[in-house]
């Protein structure tokens, strides 16, 4: 499962989502969306294909609206960096049912593998400094297993986990791209109206 | 206006430098609050703003509502979308300068056809002291329309409740993306004095 001392993103996401139970999942554009789709489509997934920087904020609104259901945001380091302020917003709002998982390969993989700021920016520490007390970096399979074991359990407050993944590119697995349909499908999975 | 002229509904606004500023007259923020409560709005993401100060304060005092302070307005677009996905209504509060921060994030609203209600206090259009507010204030309605947000405007205190109510009907009932611009004439020009 490991190469270049980092975890394989697709295997890591598949492992986490195997124990998702009834969790709602929101994905950041690019590879995180493909990784979650590759783990198996679900009407309880909402895939972003744009709105870069908005994944954690969208997950916050969802987590506050569904406080009894775990909400997992899965995104990349570049997407998270564009919405870094949302760590502050989440740190203030303190939704206990929200976990933000950042797949960090230190690269902007969608645009030609340019180096990302995470060579200098420690995203977990940034989240901690924003008032998100339950933070962590996942580097090994053992740590991944520990995260999987309680990913769908409510925390004491919001959680952020940065998973160090290798830089390998995977085949693009293209999930539902029609946004209005994805919205309706998601709401219906929650027993809400179709609008 | 002297302190004696102020009613309980008037809100003194302090300038960023701590100086005394304008006073917002009349109860239109309460009319907005009543409307949001009437429509069952549960989440109110906002970037702090003098024009919305009273409304923000009332939201935080209302148990059925959750005021969500943002660091940037674009977060609020995504929060509102997430709220709707989870079955709650949101109303997003900001100043006109923040509309520019939202443009790309409005793709989310447009592509997924999320309902949206934005309440925007205007700067840079009426007795504005700060010229840096003018470029975004003057292009706020156009920026919103470019992203297919329907723009309505309230200029007088007595029409605010009605305008917001009809915009809310189009948003939550019809699924439209709506912005109500609250004119600077209504809000009161911010005054910087030493």
């Amino acid at each position: 499962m490991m190469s270049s001392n980092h975890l394989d993103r697709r295997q890591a996401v598949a492992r986490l989502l195997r124990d998702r139970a009834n969790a709602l999942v929101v994905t950041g554009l690019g590879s995180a969306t493909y990784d979650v789709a590759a783990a198996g489509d679900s009407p309880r997934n909402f895939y972003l294909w744009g709105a870069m920087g908005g994944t954690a904020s969208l997950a916050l609104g969802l987590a506050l609206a569904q406080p009894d259901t775990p909400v997992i945001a899965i995104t990349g380091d570049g997407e998270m960096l564009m919405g870094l302020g949302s760590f502050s917003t989440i740190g203030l709002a303190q939704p206990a049912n929200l976990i933000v998982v950042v797949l960090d390969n230190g690269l902007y993989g969608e645009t030609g593998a340019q180096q990302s700021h995470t060579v200098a920016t420690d995203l977990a520490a940034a989240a901690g400094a924003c008032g998100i007390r339950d933070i962590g970096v996942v580097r090994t399979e053992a740590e991944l297993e520990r995260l999987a074991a309680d990913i769908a359990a409510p925390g004491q407050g919001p959680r952020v986990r940065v998973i160090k993944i290798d830089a390998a590119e995977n085949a693009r697995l293209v999930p539902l791209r029609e946004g209005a349909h994805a919205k309706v499908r998601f709401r219906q999975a929650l027993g809400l109206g179709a609008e | 206006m002297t302190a004696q002229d102020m009613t309980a509904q008037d809100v003194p606004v302090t300038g960023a430098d701590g100086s005394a500023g304008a006073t917002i007259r009349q109860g239109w923020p309460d009319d907005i609050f009543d409307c949001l409560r009437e429509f069952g709005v549960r989440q109110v993401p906002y970037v702090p703003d003098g024009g919305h100060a009273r409304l923000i304060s009332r939201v935080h005092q209302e148990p059925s509502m959750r005021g969500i302070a943002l660091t940037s307005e674009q977060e609020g677009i995504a929060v509102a979308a997430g709220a709707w996905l989870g079955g709650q209504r949101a109303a997003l509060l900001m100043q006109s300068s923040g509309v520019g921060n939202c443009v790309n994030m409005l793709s989310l609203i447009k592509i997924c056809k999320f309902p949206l209600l934005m309440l925007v206090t205007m700067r840079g259009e009426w007795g504005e002291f700060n010229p840096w507010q003018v470029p975004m204030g003057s292009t706020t309605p156009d920026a919103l329309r470019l992203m297919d947000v329907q723009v309505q405007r309230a200029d007088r205190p007595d029409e605010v409740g009605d305008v917001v109510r009809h915009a809310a009907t189009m948003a939550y009932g019809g699924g439209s993306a709506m912005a109500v611009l609250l004119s600077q004439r209504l809000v009161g020009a911010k005054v910087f004095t030493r």
Side-chain angles (χ1 to χ4, degrees), chain B residues 28 32 49 52 92-99 117-123 125 140-141 144 149 152-154 178-184 186-187:
Chain B
W28 60 266
I32 296 177
D49 166 48
H52 279 312
L92 173 58
L93 315 183
M94 69 182 70
Q95 199 174 82
S96 49
S97 50
V99 169
L117 180 62
M118 301 167 71
L119 303 173
V120 181
T121 55
M122 294 302 297
R123 296 284 307 271
E125 64 173 20
T140 290
L144 289 163
V149 177
Q152 297 183 346
R153 187 178 175 93
M178 305 297 301
V180 175
L181 308 186
L182 301 158
S183 83
Q184 190 167 18
L186 170 77
V187 174

PDB file of all heavy atoms in Angstrom, chain B residues 28 32 49 52 92-99 117-123 125 140-141 144 149 152-154 178-184 186-187:
ATOM      1  N   TRP B  28     -35.901  48.703   9.873  1.00  0.00           N
ATOM      2  CA  TRP B  28     -35.874  47.736   8.759  1.00  0.00           C
ATOM      3  C   TRP B  28     -35.062  46.480   9.053  1.00  0.00           C
ATOM      4  O   TRP B  28     -35.428  45.402   8.559  1.00  0.00           O
ATOM      5  CB  TRP B  28     -35.447  48.414   7.453  1.00  0.00           C
ATOM      6  CG  TRP B  28     -34.089  49.045   7.464  1.00  0.00           C
ATOM      7  CD1 TRP B  28     -33.789  50.339   7.732  1.00  0.00           C
ATOM      8  CD2 TRP B  28     -32.841  48.385   7.213  1.00  0.00           C
ATOM      9  NE1 TRP B  28     -32.438  50.540   7.673  1.00  0.00           N
ATOM     10  CE2 TRP B  28     -31.834  49.361   7.350  1.00  0.00           C
ATOM     11  CE3 TRP B  28     -32.473  47.079   6.876  1.00  0.00           C
ATOM     12  CZ2 TRP B  28     -30.482  49.058   7.176  1.00  0.00           C
ATOM     13  CZ3 TRP B  28     -31.134  46.777   6.692  1.00  0.00           C
ATOM     14  CH2 TRP B  28     -30.169  47.768   6.845  1.00  0.00           C
ATOM     15  N   ILE B  32     -36.383  42.587   8.377  1.00  0.00           N
ATOM     16  CA  ILE B  32     -35.666  41.466   7.747  1.00  0.00           C
ATOM     17  C   ILE B  32     -35.662  40.264   8.692  1.00  0.00           C
ATOM     18  O   ILE B  32     -35.937  39.129   8.281  1.00  0.00           O
ATOM     19  CB  ILE B  32     -34.223  41.857   7.386  1.00  0.00           C
ATOM     20  CG1 ILE B  32     -34.204  42.975   6.339  1.00  0.00           C
ATOM     21  CG2 ILE B  32     -33.456  40.633   6.870  1.00  0.00           C
ATOM     22  CD1 ILE B  32     -32.805  43.469   5.986  1.00  0.00           C
ATOM     23  N   ASP B  49     -20.643  43.309   9.385  1.00  0.00           N
ATOM     24  CA  ASP B  49     -20.953  44.475   8.573  1.00  0.00           C
ATOM     25  C   ASP B  49     -21.788  45.430   9.417  1.00  0.00           C
ATOM     26  O   ASP B  49     -22.745  45.011  10.061  1.00  0.00           O
ATOM     27  CB  ASP B  49     -21.742  43.996   7.343  1.00  0.00           C
ATOM     28  CG  ASP B  49     -22.410  45.141   6.611  1.00  0.00           C
ATOM     29  OD1 ASP B  49     -21.707  46.144   6.373  1.00  0.00           O
ATOM     30  OD2 ASP B  49     -23.595  45.034   6.286  1.00  0.00           O
ATOM     31  N   HIS B  52     -25.537  45.574   8.776  1.00  0.00           N
ATOM     32  CA  HIS B  52     -26.281  44.399   9.235  1.00  0.00           C
ATOM     33  C   HIS B  52     -26.113  44.156  10.736  1.00  0.00           C
ATOM     34  O   HIS B  52     -26.515  43.100  11.244  1.00  0.00           O
ATOM     35  CB  HIS B  52     -25.821  43.139   8.488  1.00  0.00           C
ATOM     36  CG  HIS B  52     -26.436  42.967   7.134  1.00  0.00           C
ATOM     37  ND1 HIS B  52     -27.788  43.102   6.906  1.00  0.00           N
ATOM     38  CD2 HIS B  52     -25.894  42.652   5.926  1.00  0.00           C
ATOM     39  CE1 HIS B  52     -28.040  42.867   5.621  1.00  0.00           C
ATOM     40  NE2 HIS B  52     -26.916  42.602   5.007  1.00  0.00           N
ATOM     41  N   LEU B  92     -27.735  34.679   3.507  1.00  0.00           N
ATOM     42  CA  LEU B  92     -26.336  35.099   3.551  1.00  0.00           C
ATOM     43  C   LEU B  92     -26.250  36.626   3.583  1.00  0.00           C
ATOM     44  O   LEU B  92     -26.804  37.298   2.721  1.00  0.00           O
ATOM     45  CB  LEU B  92     -25.628  34.529   2.314  1.00  0.00           C
ATOM     46  CG  LEU B  92     -24.201  34.938   2.004  1.00  0.00           C
ATOM     47  CD1 LEU B  92     -23.265  34.616   3.164  1.00  0.00           C
ATOM     48  CD2 LEU B  92     -23.725  34.213   0.742  1.00  0.00           C
ATOM     49  N   LEU B  93     -25.555  37.137   4.590  1.00  0.00           N
ATOM     50  CA  LEU B  93     -25.449  38.583   4.771  1.00  0.00           C
ATOM     51  C   LEU B  93     -24.042  39.055   4.420  1.00  0.00           C
ATOM     52  O   LEU B  93     -23.055  38.448   4.856  1.00  0.00           O
ATOM     53  CB  LEU B  93     -25.736  38.966   6.228  1.00  0.00           C
ATOM     54  CG  LEU B  93     -26.929  38.324   6.929  1.00  0.00           C
ATOM     55  CD1 LEU B  93     -27.071  38.905   8.345  1.00  0.00           C
ATOM     56  CD2 LEU B  93     -28.204  38.512   6.142  1.00  0.00           C
ATOM     57  N   MET B  94     -23.960  40.149   3.696  1.00  0.00           N
ATOM     58  CA  MET B  94     -22.646  40.707   3.361  1.00  0.00           C
ATOM     59  C   MET B  94     -22.783  42.156   2.910  1.00  0.00           C
ATOM     60  O   MET B  94     -23.880  42.657   2.710  1.00  0.00           O
ATOM     61  CB  MET B  94     -21.983  39.895   2.248  1.00  0.00           C
ATOM     62  CG  MET B  94     -22.662  40.023   0.889  1.00  0.00           C
ATOM     63  SD  MET B  94     -21.874  38.996  -0.365  1.00  0.00           S
ATOM     64  CE  MET B  94     -22.324  37.370   0.196  1.00  0.00           C
ATOM     65  N   GLN B  95     -21.640  42.752   2.720  1.00  0.00           N
ATOM     66  CA  GLN B  95     -21.557  44.101   2.167  1.00  0.00           C
ATOM     67  C   GLN B  95     -21.221  43.975   0.679  1.00  0.00           C
ATOM     68  O   GLN B  95     -20.688  42.956   0.251  1.00  0.00           O
ATOM     69  CB  GLN B  95     -20.409  44.795   2.910  1.00  0.00           C
ATOM     70  CG  GLN B  95     -20.396  46.275   2.866  1.00  0.00           C
ATOM     71  CD  GLN B  95     -19.288  46.834   3.758  1.00  0.00           C
ATOM     72  OE1 GLN B  95     -18.132  46.894   3.346  1.00  0.00           O
ATOM     73  NE2 GLN B  95     -19.628  47.222   4.962  1.00  0.00           N
ATOM     74  N   SER B  96     -21.482  45.024  -0.089  1.00  0.00           N
ATOM     75  CA  SER B  96     -21.293  44.940  -1.541  1.00  0.00           C
ATOM     76  C   SER B  96     -19.876  44.531  -1.936  1.00  0.00           C
ATOM     77  O   SER B  96     -19.679  43.823  -2.925  1.00  0.00           O
ATOM     78  CB  SER B  96     -21.667  46.266  -2.195  1.00  0.00           C
ATOM     79  OG  SER B  96     -21.044  47.359  -1.545  1.00  0.00           O
ATOM     80  N   SER B  97     -18.886  44.950  -1.173  1.00  0.00           N
ATOM     81  CA  SER B  97     -17.505  44.575  -1.515  1.00  0.00           C
ATOM     82  C   SER B  97     -17.341  43.057  -1.517  1.00  0.00           C
ATOM     83  O   SER B  97     -16.514  42.513  -2.253  1.00  0.00           O
ATOM     84  CB  SER B  97     -16.529  45.211  -0.523  1.00  0.00           C
ATOM     85  OG  SER B  97     -16.942  44.955   0.807  1.00  0.00           O
ATOM     86  N   GLY B  98     -18.134  42.367  -0.712  1.00  0.00           N
ATOM     87  CA  GLY B  98     -18.020  40.912  -0.625  1.00  0.00           C
ATOM     88  C   GLY B  98     -18.582  40.182  -1.824  1.00  0.00           C
ATOM     89  O   GLY B  98     -18.241  39.014  -2.056  1.00  0.00           O
ATOM     90  N   VAL B  99     -19.434  40.848  -2.592  1.00  0.00           N
ATOM     91  CA  VAL B  99     -20.023  40.179  -3.755  1.00  0.00           C
ATOM     92  C   VAL B  99     -18.926  39.767  -4.737  1.00  0.00           C
ATOM     93  O   VAL B  99     -18.962  38.685  -5.328  1.00  0.00           O
ATOM     94  CB  VAL B  99     -21.073  41.088  -4.422  1.00  0.00           C
ATOM     95  CG1 VAL B  99     -21.504  40.531  -5.775  1.00  0.00           C
ATOM     96  CG2 VAL B  99     -22.286  41.237  -3.498  1.00  0.00           C
ATOM     97  N   LEU B 117     -30.514  33.142  -0.965  1.00  0.00           N
ATOM     98  CA  LEU B 117     -30.963  34.489  -0.604  1.00  0.00           C
ATOM     99  C   LEU B 117     -29.778  35.238  -0.005  1.00  0.00           C
ATOM    100  O   LEU B 117     -29.280  34.877   1.057  1.00  0.00           O
ATOM    101  CB  LEU B 117     -32.122  34.443   0.396  1.00  0.00           C
ATOM    102  CG  LEU B 117     -32.647  35.830   0.827  1.00  0.00           C
ATOM    103  CD1 LEU B 117     -33.201  36.611  -0.365  1.00  0.00           C
ATOM    104  CD2 LEU B 117     -33.717  35.702   1.919  1.00  0.00           C
ATOM    105  N   MET B 118     -29.327  36.254  -0.742  1.00  0.00           N
ATOM    106  CA  MET B 118     -28.251  37.118  -0.270  1.00  0.00           C
ATOM    107  C   MET B 118     -28.840  38.478   0.074  1.00  0.00           C
ATOM    108  O   MET B 118     -29.642  39.024  -0.686  1.00  0.00           O
ATOM    109  CB  MET B 118     -27.189  37.332  -1.374  1.00  0.00           C
ATOM    110  CG  MET B 118     -26.548  36.058  -1.885  1.00  0.00           C
ATOM    111  SD  MET B 118     -25.591  36.337  -3.419  1.00  0.00           S
ATOM    112  CE  MET B 118     -24.204  37.273  -2.796  1.00  0.00           C
ATOM    113  N   LEU B 119     -28.445  39.013   1.219  1.00  0.00           N
ATOM    114  CA  LEU B 119     -28.881  40.350   1.624  1.00  0.00           C
ATOM    115  C   LEU B 119     -27.623  41.222   1.699  1.00  0.00           C
ATOM    116  O   LEU B 119     -26.756  40.994   2.552  1.00  0.00           O
ATOM    117  CB  LEU B 119     -29.604  40.287   2.964  1.00  0.00           C
ATOM    118  CG  LEU B 119     -30.815  39.347   2.985  1.00  0.00           C
ATOM    119  CD1 LEU B 119     -31.385  39.207   4.396  1.00  0.00           C
ATOM    120  CD2 LEU B 119     -31.894  39.825   2.019  1.00  0.00           C
ATOM    121  N   VAL B 120     -27.538  42.164   0.784  1.00  0.00           N
ATOM    122  CA  VAL B 120     -26.284  42.887   0.554  1.00  0.00           C
ATOM    123  C   VAL B 120     -26.456  44.361   0.911  1.00  0.00           C
ATOM    124  O   VAL B 120     -27.256  45.068   0.280  1.00  0.00           O
ATOM    125  CB  VAL B 120     -25.856  42.764  -0.928  1.00  0.00           C
ATOM    126  CG1 VAL B 120     -24.540  43.497  -1.154  1.00  0.00           C
ATOM    127  CG2 VAL B 120     -25.755  41.300  -1.343  1.00  0.00           C
ATOM    128  N   THR B 121     -25.729  44.827   1.901  1.00  0.00           N
ATOM    129  CA  THR B 121     -25.742  46.263   2.192  1.00  0.00           C
ATOM    130  C   THR B 121     -24.768  46.959   1.247  1.00  0.00           C
ATOM    131  O   THR B 121     -23.637  46.499   1.052  1.00  0.00           O
ATOM    132  CB  THR B 121     -25.345  46.543   3.647  1.00  0.00           C
ATOM    133  OG1 THR B 121     -24.085  45.938   3.912  1.00  0.00           O
ATOM    134  CG2 THR B 121     -26.375  46.003   4.619  1.00  0.00           C
ATOM    135  N   MET B 122     -25.226  48.063   0.661  1.00  0.00           N
ATOM    136  CA  MET B 122     -24.439  48.727  -0.376  1.00  0.00           C
ATOM    137  C   MET B 122     -23.476  49.746   0.219  1.00  0.00           C
ATOM    138  O   MET B 122     -23.798  50.460   1.166  1.00  0.00           O
ATOM    139  CB  MET B 122     -25.365  49.405  -1.389  1.00  0.00           C
ATOM    140  CG  MET B 122     -26.205  48.434  -2.193  1.00  0.00           C
ATOM    141  SD  MET B 122     -25.224  47.215  -3.116  1.00  0.00           S
ATOM    142  CE  MET B 122     -24.319  48.303  -4.227  1.00  0.00           C
ATOM    143  N   ARG B 123     -22.304  49.791  -0.374  1.00  0.00           N
ATOM    144  CA  ARG B 123     -21.321  50.836  -0.115  1.00  0.00           C
ATOM    145  C   ARG B 123     -20.934  51.442  -1.451  1.00  0.00           C
ATOM    146  O   ARG B 123     -21.127  50.852  -2.503  1.00  0.00           O
ATOM    147  CB  ARG B 123     -20.063  50.243   0.565  1.00  0.00           C
ATOM    148  CG  ARG B 123     -20.288  49.641   1.938  1.00  0.00           C
ATOM    149  CD  ARG B 123     -20.457  50.676   3.027  1.00  0.00           C
ATOM    150  NE  ARG B 123     -19.377  51.660   3.063  1.00  0.00           N
ATOM    151  CZ  ARG B 123     -18.241  51.526   3.766  1.00  0.00           C
ATOM    152  NH1 ARG B 123     -18.043  50.447   4.476  1.00  0.00           N
ATOM    153  NH2 ARG B 123     -17.327  52.486   3.764  1.00  0.00           N
ATOM    154  N   GLU B 125     -21.981  54.145  -3.054  1.00  0.00           N
ATOM    155  CA  GLU B 125     -22.975  54.690  -3.992  1.00  0.00           C
ATOM    156  C   GLU B 125     -23.689  55.935  -3.484  1.00  0.00           C
ATOM    157  O   GLU B 125     -24.371  56.589  -4.254  1.00  0.00           O
ATOM    158  CB  GLU B 125     -24.020  53.618  -4.339  1.00  0.00           C
ATOM    159  CG  GLU B 125     -24.842  53.168  -3.133  1.00  0.00           C
ATOM    160  CD  GLU B 125     -25.989  52.239  -3.515  1.00  0.00           C
ATOM    161  OE1 GLU B 125     -25.943  51.649  -4.606  1.00  0.00           O
ATOM    162  OE2 GLU B 125     -26.920  52.120  -2.711  1.00  0.00           O
ATOM    163  N   THR B 140     -21.639  45.888  -8.331  1.00  0.00           N
ATOM    164  CA  THR B 140     -22.278  44.785  -7.592  1.00  0.00           C
ATOM    165  C   THR B 140     -23.478  44.180  -8.332  1.00  0.00           C
ATOM    166  O   THR B 140     -23.538  42.953  -8.506  1.00  0.00           O
ATOM    167  CB  THR B 140     -22.681  45.266  -6.181  1.00  0.00           C
ATOM    168  OG1 THR B 140     -21.486  45.465  -5.424  1.00  0.00           O
ATOM    169  CG2 THR B 140     -23.561  44.276  -5.463  1.00  0.00           C
ATOM    170  N   PRO B 141     -24.448  45.014  -8.804  1.00  0.00           N
ATOM    171  CA  PRO B 141     -25.588  44.372  -9.479  1.00  0.00           C
ATOM    172  C   PRO B 141     -25.177  43.631 -10.747  1.00  0.00           C
ATOM    173  O   PRO B 141     -25.681  42.534 -11.022  1.00  0.00           O
ATOM    174  CB  PRO B 141     -26.540  45.536  -9.797  1.00  0.00           C
ATOM    175  CG  PRO B 141     -25.874  46.779  -9.345  1.00  0.00           C
ATOM    176  CD  PRO B 141     -24.614  46.454  -8.633  1.00  0.00           C
ATOM    177  N   LEU B 144     -23.499  40.255  -9.923  1.00  0.00           N
ATOM    178  CA  LEU B 144     -24.495  39.250  -9.542  1.00  0.00           C
ATOM    179  C   LEU B 144     -25.246  38.735 -10.761  1.00  0.00           C
ATOM    180  O   LEU B 144     -25.429  37.524 -10.940  1.00  0.00           O
ATOM    181  CB  LEU B 144     -25.474  39.845  -8.525  1.00  0.00           C
ATOM    182  CG  LEU B 144     -24.886  40.095  -7.132  1.00  0.00           C
ATOM    183  CD1 LEU B 144     -25.787  41.045  -6.339  1.00  0.00           C
ATOM    184  CD2 LEU B 144     -24.689  38.789  -6.369  1.00  0.00           C
ATOM    185  N   VAL B 149     -27.709  35.581 -10.764  1.00  0.00           N
ATOM    186  CA  VAL B 149     -28.428  35.879  -9.526  1.00  0.00           C
ATOM    187  C   VAL B 149     -29.412  37.016  -9.827  1.00  0.00           C
ATOM    188  O   VAL B 149     -29.036  38.026 -10.427  1.00  0.00           O
ATOM    189  CB  VAL B 149     -27.453  36.300  -8.399  1.00  0.00           C
ATOM    190  CG1 VAL B 149     -28.217  36.686  -7.136  1.00  0.00           C
ATOM    191  CG2 VAL B 149     -26.461  35.191  -8.118  1.00  0.00           C
ATOM    192  N   GLN B 152     -32.727  42.371  -6.682  1.00  0.00           N
ATOM    193  CA  GLN B 152     -33.786  43.294  -6.291  1.00  0.00           C
ATOM    194  C   GLN B 152     -33.167  44.316  -5.350  1.00  0.00           C
ATOM    195  O   GLN B 152     -32.088  44.096  -4.808  1.00  0.00           O
ATOM    196  CB  GLN B 152     -34.941  42.544  -5.637  1.00  0.00           C
ATOM    197  CG  GLN B 152     -35.586  41.569  -6.622  1.00  0.00           C
ATOM    198  CD  GLN B 152     -36.773  40.843  -6.067  1.00  0.00           C
ATOM    199  OE1 GLN B 152     -37.004  40.845  -4.869  1.00  0.00           O
ATOM    200  NE2 GLN B 152     -37.522  40.209  -6.952  1.00  0.00           N
ATOM    201  N   ARG B 153     -33.873  45.403  -5.167  1.00  0.00           N
ATOM    202  CA  ARG B 153     -33.264  46.512  -4.444  1.00  0.00           C
ATOM    203  C   ARG B 153     -34.286  47.163  -3.533  1.00  0.00           C
ATOM    204  O   ARG B 153     -35.453  47.283  -3.886  1.00  0.00           O
ATOM    205  CB  ARG B 153     -32.755  47.524  -5.483  1.00  0.00           C
ATOM    206  CG  ARG B 153     -31.955  48.655  -4.897  1.00  0.00           C
ATOM    207  CD  ARG B 153     -31.463  49.580  -6.008  1.00  0.00           C
ATOM    208  NE  ARG B 153     -30.807  50.707  -5.404  1.00  0.00           N
ATOM    209  CZ  ARG B 153     -29.495  50.778  -5.168  1.00  0.00           C
ATOM    210  NH1 ARG B 153     -28.709  49.787  -5.539  1.00  0.00           N
ATOM    211  NH2 ARG B 153     -28.973  51.829  -4.590  1.00  0.00           N
ATOM    212  N   ALA B 154     -33.843  47.547  -2.355  1.00  0.00           N
ATOM    213  CA  ALA B 154     -34.693  48.317  -1.448  1.00  0.00           C
ATOM    214  C   ALA B 154     -33.997  49.642  -1.152  1.00  0.00           C
ATOM    215  O   ALA B 154     -32.835  49.651  -0.738  1.00  0.00           O
ATOM    216  CB  ALA B 154     -34.937  47.540  -0.158  1.00  0.00           C
ATOM    217  N   MET B 178     -31.286  34.672  -5.421  1.00  0.00           N
ATOM    218  CA  MET B 178     -31.776  36.036  -5.249  1.00  0.00           C
ATOM    219  C   MET B 178     -30.784  36.866  -4.427  1.00  0.00           C
ATOM    220  O   MET B 178     -30.191  36.357  -3.474  1.00  0.00           O
ATOM    221  CB  MET B 178     -33.107  36.039  -4.486  1.00  0.00           C
ATOM    222  CG  MET B 178     -34.206  35.189  -5.062  1.00  0.00           C
ATOM    223  SD  MET B 178     -34.745  35.717  -6.696  1.00  0.00           S
ATOM    224  CE  MET B 178     -35.262  37.403  -6.359  1.00  0.00           C
ATOM    225  N   ALA B 179     -30.648  38.123  -4.824  1.00  0.00           N
ATOM    226  CA  ALA B 179     -29.906  39.063  -3.986  1.00  0.00           C
ATOM    227  C   ALA B 179     -30.757  40.303  -3.792  1.00  0.00           C
ATOM    228  O   ALA B 179     -31.334  40.823  -4.750  1.00  0.00           O
ATOM    229  CB  ALA B 179     -28.579  39.445  -4.633  1.00  0.00           C
ATOM    230  N   VAL B 180     -30.874  40.748  -2.562  1.00  0.00           N
ATOM    231  CA  VAL B 180     -31.535  42.018  -2.273  1.00  0.00           C
ATOM    232  C   VAL B 180     -30.445  43.022  -1.903  1.00  0.00           C
ATOM    233  O   VAL B 180     -29.686  42.795  -0.943  1.00  0.00           O
ATOM    234  CB  VAL B 180     -32.544  41.890  -1.114  1.00  0.00           C
ATOM    235  CG1 VAL B 180     -33.122  43.267  -0.762  1.00  0.00           C
ATOM    236  CG2 VAL B 180     -33.662  40.921  -1.495  1.00  0.00           C
ATOM    237  N   LEU B 181     -30.367  44.082  -2.689  1.00  0.00           N
ATOM    238  CA  LEU B 181     -29.399  45.138  -2.398  1.00  0.00           C
ATOM    239  C   LEU B 181     -30.079  46.178  -1.518  1.00  0.00           C
ATOM    240  O   LEU B 181     -31.117  46.734  -1.877  1.00  0.00           O
ATOM    241  CB  LEU B 181     -28.901  45.785  -3.696  1.00  0.00           C
ATOM    242  CG  LEU B 181     -28.368  44.832  -4.765  1.00  0.00           C
ATOM    243  CD1 LEU B 181     -27.777  45.619  -5.943  1.00  0.00           C
ATOM    244  CD2 LEU B 181     -27.350  43.855  -4.193  1.00  0.00           C
ATOM    245  N   LEU B 182     -29.494  46.420  -0.363  1.00  0.00           N
ATOM    246  CA  LEU B 182     -30.019  47.414   0.579  1.00  0.00           C
ATOM    247  C   LEU B 182     -29.213  48.689   0.375  1.00  0.00           C
ATOM    248  O   LEU B 182     -28.012  48.731   0.683  1.00  0.00           O
ATOM    249  CB  LEU B 182     -29.881  46.875   2.009  1.00  0.00           C
ATOM    250  CG  LEU B 182     -30.630  45.542   2.220  1.00  0.00           C
ATOM    251  CD1 LEU B 182     -30.065  44.774   3.406  1.00  0.00           C
ATOM    252  CD2 LEU B 182     -32.118  45.784   2.399  1.00  0.00           C
ATOM    253  N   SER B 183     -29.848  49.692  -0.190  1.00  0.00           N
ATOM    254  CA  SER B 183     -29.099  50.844  -0.696  1.00  0.00           C
ATOM    255  C   SER B 183     -28.364  51.575   0.420  1.00  0.00           C
ATOM    256  O   SER B 183     -28.767  51.552   1.582  1.00  0.00           O
ATOM    257  CB  SER B 183     -30.032  51.797  -1.435  1.00  0.00           C
ATOM    258  OG  SER B 183     -30.683  52.636  -0.506  1.00  0.00           O
ATOM    259  N   GLN B 184     -27.292  52.238   0.041  1.00  0.00           N
ATOM    260  CA  GLN B 184     -26.508  52.969   1.032  1.00  0.00           C
ATOM    261  C   GLN B 184     -27.306  54.151   1.577  1.00  0.00           C
ATOM    262  O   GLN B 184     -27.105  54.565   2.713  1.00  0.00           O
ATOM    263  CB  GLN B 184     -25.187  53.446   0.417  1.00  0.00           C
ATOM    264  CG  GLN B 184     -24.225  54.001   1.455  1.00  0.00           C
ATOM    265  CD  GLN B 184     -22.821  54.174   0.923  1.00  0.00           C
ATOM    266  OE1 GLN B 184     -22.613  54.199  -0.283  1.00  0.00           O
ATOM    267  NE2 GLN B 184     -21.855  54.305   1.828  1.00  0.00           N
ATOM    268  N   LEU B 186     -30.313  53.991   2.347  1.00  0.00           N
ATOM    269  CA  LEU B 186     -31.092  53.367   3.418  1.00  0.00           C
ATOM    270  C   LEU B 186     -30.217  53.060   4.635  1.00  0.00           C
ATOM    271  O   LEU B 186     -30.586  53.342   5.776  1.00  0.00           O
ATOM    272  CB  LEU B 186     -31.690  52.064   2.862  1.00  0.00           C
ATOM    273  CG  LEU B 186     -32.366  51.092   3.804  1.00  0.00           C
ATOM    274  CD1 LEU B 186     -33.751  51.601   4.164  1.00  0.00           C
ATOM    275  CD2 LEU B 186     -32.477  49.721   3.142  1.00  0.00           C
ATOM    276  N   VAL B 187     -29.075  52.489   4.363  1.00  0.00           N
ATOM    277  CA  VAL B 187     -28.186  52.048   5.439  1.00  0.00           C
ATOM    278  C   VAL B 187     -27.550  53.235   6.136  1.00  0.00           C
ATOM    279  O   VAL B 187     -27.317  53.222   7.343  1.00  0.00           O
ATOM    280  CB  VAL B 187     -27.099  51.105   4.863  1.00  0.00           C
ATOM    281  CG1 VAL B 187     -26.071  50.746   5.913  1.00  0.00           C
ATOM    282  CG2 VAL B 187     -27.741  49.842   4.279  1.00  0.00           C
TER     283      VAL B 187
END
